[in-house]
């Protein structure tokens, strides 16, 4: 018998966070999420998401053993911004048993119907500003930081339940040895041309982090406003995420474009902390995880281009190409073997073309699903 219960206390929340560790115990490509970060993300009292929206977390039990988990999410900012009556599901993990997946998804469907919603979409861990998508191609390597990883049968189970494709998200791999030297030389020419138009590009100033984040927030919500599936982040949500990000960013990989002093674009790339995180048992820093994290941090050999955006009116000037070229130029200079540019909407022709121009190849795909309920 399968029983689905709502997470009600700290003990059940711990089980919710820890379930994937048992599920992927023998999977060499699995990377555990940092426990403290997951606990913060699911904290209904303190995480800024819960100031405007709601979510409940559910565990599936069979023979007193946890066999699955899921979150039912009502993102009010998304509903107000889009006008759609679409609820979301996220944090979806399940053993290889369709009956368990069905029980979890039935629970989410009922939860959304009770709130008057007509569609279900995901997986999104609150929105597509956070971790989202189901891996459907590229199971032969570990995920990079803040990218999801799952069992191959998830796609089959979601489709069997009645979900259909909503959008594919592309991840490109670019080996630093394959970035042509002529493109690196071209970057200086692009910058010279941009400077002639009053556009400057600089690295983030971490000593003025708060001021820099205020500028980036302006760019972020403006640059992505018309993108498929986008929902604006509140200032508090953005700053909450940025506070954690500050601990791992390398200023050489964070670029801000300005036009006569006005912020118009930015690019964020992060050395892939999943390399050291992979060594942490159950994502714990204590008692010895912190030492492992510091030791294996020195062995990071890849970078992820996490996000890159330009406000409207500045998208065909070569700024995006410059951002990508500088990210991989820095990666090459630091001795990194390759980088990942992810995720990119499959219908974003400008971004896809810019990455292909520096010899990027799609090596992973994640899918977002939708279903009428």
């Amino acid at each position: 018998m399968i029983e689905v219960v709502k997470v009600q206390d700290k003990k059940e929340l711990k089980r919710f966070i820890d379930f994937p560790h048992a599920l992927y115990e023998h999977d060499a490509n699995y990377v555990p999420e940092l426990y403290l970060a997951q606990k913060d993300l699911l904290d209904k009292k303190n995480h800024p998401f819960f100031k405007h929206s709601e979510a409940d977390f559910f565990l599936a039990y069979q023979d007193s053993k946890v066999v699955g988990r899921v979150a039912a999410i009502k993102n009010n900012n998304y509903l107000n911004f889009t006008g759609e009556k679409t609820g979301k599901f996220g944090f979806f993990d399940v053993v290889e048993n369709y009956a368990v997946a069905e029980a979890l998804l039935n629970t989410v469907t009922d939860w959304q119907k009770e709130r008057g919603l007509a569609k279900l979409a995901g997986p999104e861990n609150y929105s597509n500003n956070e971790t989202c998508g189901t891996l459907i191609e590229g199971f032969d390597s570990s995920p990079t930081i803040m990218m999801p990883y799952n069992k191959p049968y998830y796609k089959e189970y979601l489709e069997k339940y009645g979900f259909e494709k909503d959008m594919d998200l592309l991840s490109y791999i670019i080996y630093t040895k394959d970035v042509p030297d002529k493109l690196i030389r071209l970057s200086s020419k692009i910058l010279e041309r941009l400077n002639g138009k009053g556009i400057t590009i600089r690295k983030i100033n971490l000593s003025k982090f708060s001021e820099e984040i205020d500028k980036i927030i302006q760019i972020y919500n403006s640059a992505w406003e018309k993108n498929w599936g986008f929902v604006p982040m509140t200032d508090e949500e953005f700053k909450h995420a940025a506070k954690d990000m500050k601990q791992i960013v390398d200023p050489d990989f964070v670029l801000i474009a300005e036009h006569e002093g006005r912020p118009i674009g930015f690019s964020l790339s992060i050395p892939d902390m999943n390399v050291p995180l992979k060594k942490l048992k159950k994502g714990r820093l204590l008692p010895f995880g912190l030492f492992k994290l510091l030791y294996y941090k020195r062995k990071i050999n890849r970078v992820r281009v996490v996000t890159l955006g330009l406000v409207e009116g500045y998208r065909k000037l070569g700024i995006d190409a410059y951002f990508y070229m500088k990210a991989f130029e820095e990666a090459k200079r630091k001795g990194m073997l390759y980088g990942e540019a992810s995720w990119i909407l499959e219908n974003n022709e400008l971004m896809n073309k810019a990455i292909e121009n520096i010899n990027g190849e799609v090596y992973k795909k994640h899918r977002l699903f939708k279903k009428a309920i």
Side-chain angles (χ1 to χ4, degrees):
M1 178 181 174
I2 300 165
E3 181 185 16
V4 178
V5 301
K6 186 168 79 170
V7 170
Q8 300 275 23
D9 56 34
K10 292 180 180 179
K11 186 176 182 181
E12 289 173 340
L13 186 65
K14 181 176 178 294
R15 288 174 181 167
F16 187 93
I17 296 172
D18 283 344
F19 170 66
H21 306 323
L23 181 64
Y24 297 96
E25 184 178 8
H26 303 295
D27 190 327
N29 290 324
Y30 172 66
V31 180
E33 295 280 4
L34 194 61
Y35 180 79
L36 291 175
Q38 288 291 287
K39 189 177 177 183
D40 172 71
L41 184 61
L42 302 172
D43 187 343
K44 292 186 178 183
K45 291 182 179 179
N46 296 308
H47 194 279
F49 172 80
F50 293 98
K51 292 194 174 181
H52 59 75
S53 297
E54 62 176 312
D56 279 323
F57 313 117
F58 298 92
L59 288 168
Y61 287 90
Q62 192 170 35
D63 300 327
S64 301
K65 182 180 179 182
V66 178
V67 289
R69 69 173 192 171
V70 74
I73 302 160
K74 181 172 180 274
N75 188 325
N76 291 322
N77 279 2
Y78 177 84
L79 298 176
N80 294 333
F81 185 73
T82 63
E84 298 178 3
K85 289 190 173 183
T86 302
K88 301 297 178 77
F89 74 98
F91 300 93
F92 178 65
D93 279 296
V94 64
V95 297
E96 195 167 2
N97 182 339
Y98 176 71
V100 178
E102 184 178 40
L104 287 166
L105 294 169
N106 281 342
T107 300
V108 173
T109 297
D110 291 343
W111 190 95
Q112 301 289 4
K113 284 181 176 179
E114 289 172 5
R115 287 154 178 80
L117 299 177
K119 292 182 181 179
L120 183 60
E124 296 180 9
N125 296 347
Y126 302 149
S127 75
N128 65 17
N129 292 313
E130 288 86 21
T131 306
C132 62
T134 295
L135 184 66
I136 61 170
E137 293 181 19
F139 294 93
D140 56 348
S141 59
S142 295
T144 55
I145 187 167
M146 296 186 293
M147 288 297 290
Y149 180 78
N150 53 262
K151 297 286 189 179
Y153 55 79
Y154 283 25
K155 175 178 179 288
E156 174 193 342
Y157 286 2
L158 291 171
E159 290 175 343
K160 187 174 181 179
Y161 191 73
F163 280 100
E164 59 184 31
K165 173 184 170 180
D166 203 1
M167 179 66 72
D168 279 354
L169 314 174
L170 308 182
S171 296
Y172 288 83
I173 188 169
I174 304 101
Y175 291 95
T176 52
K177 65 179 178 61
D178 292 337
V179 178
D181 288 338
K182 66 178 182 180
L183 283 182
I184 293 176
R185 291 194 297 270
L186 180 62
S187 67
S188 61
K189 293 182 179 179
I190 292 175
L191 184 61
E192 184 178 337
R193 178 166 51 82
L194 291 172
N195 289 165
K197 297 177 181 292
I199 297 170
T200 56
I201 298 176
R202 61 177 177 81
K203 297 175 184 178
I204 191 171
N205 184 347
L206 292 182
S207 67
K208 296 182 178 180
F209 188 72
S210 181
E211 295 173 29
E212 298 283 56
I213 292 303
D214 287 339
K215 293 178 181 179
I216 291 173
I217 291 173
Q218 296 175 40
I219 301 167
Y220 187 83
N221 284 333
S222 174
W224 277 269
E225 185 178 16
K226 295 181 180 179
N227 275 16
W228 178 92
F230 176 71
V231 56
M233 294 182 78
T234 65
D235 284 3
E236 191 172 354
E237 283 177 307
F238 199 97
K239 289 177 180 179
H240 187 88
K243 175 173 60 70
D244 293 334
M245 200 75 71
K246 186 181 180 183
Q247 309 303 316
I248 58 175
V249 296
D250 179 338
D252 290 338
F253 286 119
V254 186
L255 301 177
I256 298 174
E258 296 170 322
H259 183 210
E260 297 176 348
R262 182 172 74 90
I264 59 166
F266 84 102
S267 171
L268 168 66
S269 303
I270 301 176
D272 186 18
M273 290 298 294
N274 271 10
V275 174
L277 285 176
K278 193 173 182 179
K279 304 296 181 179
L280 300 193
K281 187 175 182 180
K282 295 185 177 181
R284 264 59 168 190
L285 288 175
L286 300 174
F288 304 114
L290 183 58
F291 297 108
K292 287 185 178 180
L293 189 70
L294 293 173
Y295 176 76
Y296 285 102
K297 186 178 179 180
R298 298 177 298 176
K299 298 180 179 294
I300 293 175
N301 62 356
R302 62 191 187 192
V303 65
R304 180 187 166 209
V305 182
V306 177
T307 188
L308 185 156
L310 298 164
V311 301
E312 200 163 355
Y314 293 91
R315 291 177 183 155
K316 294 184 178 181
L317 300 178
I319 301 173
D320 53 350
Y322 180 83
F323 280 157
Y324 278 123
M325 284 187 281
K326 288 304 290 183
F328 290 100
E329 183 181 342
E330 283 295 337
K332 191 171 187 177
R333 186 178 68 82
K334 292 174 184 289
M336 294 185 178
L337 299 179
Y338 65 96
E340 176 182 293
S342 58
W343 48 260
I344 316 295
L345 294 170
E346 63 177 338
N347 64 358
N348 190 333
E349 295 180 6
L350 283 175
M351 287 297 180
N352 286 306
K353 186 65 176 176
I355 301 170
E356 290 166 4
N357 284 340
I358 56 171
N359 294 334
E361 294 184 4
V362 175
Y363 83 123
K364 290 180 186 288
K365 285 185 183 179
H366 293 78
R367 180 161 293 172
L368 289 167
F369 293 87
K370 63 182 178 180
K371 179 184 185 297
I373 57 175

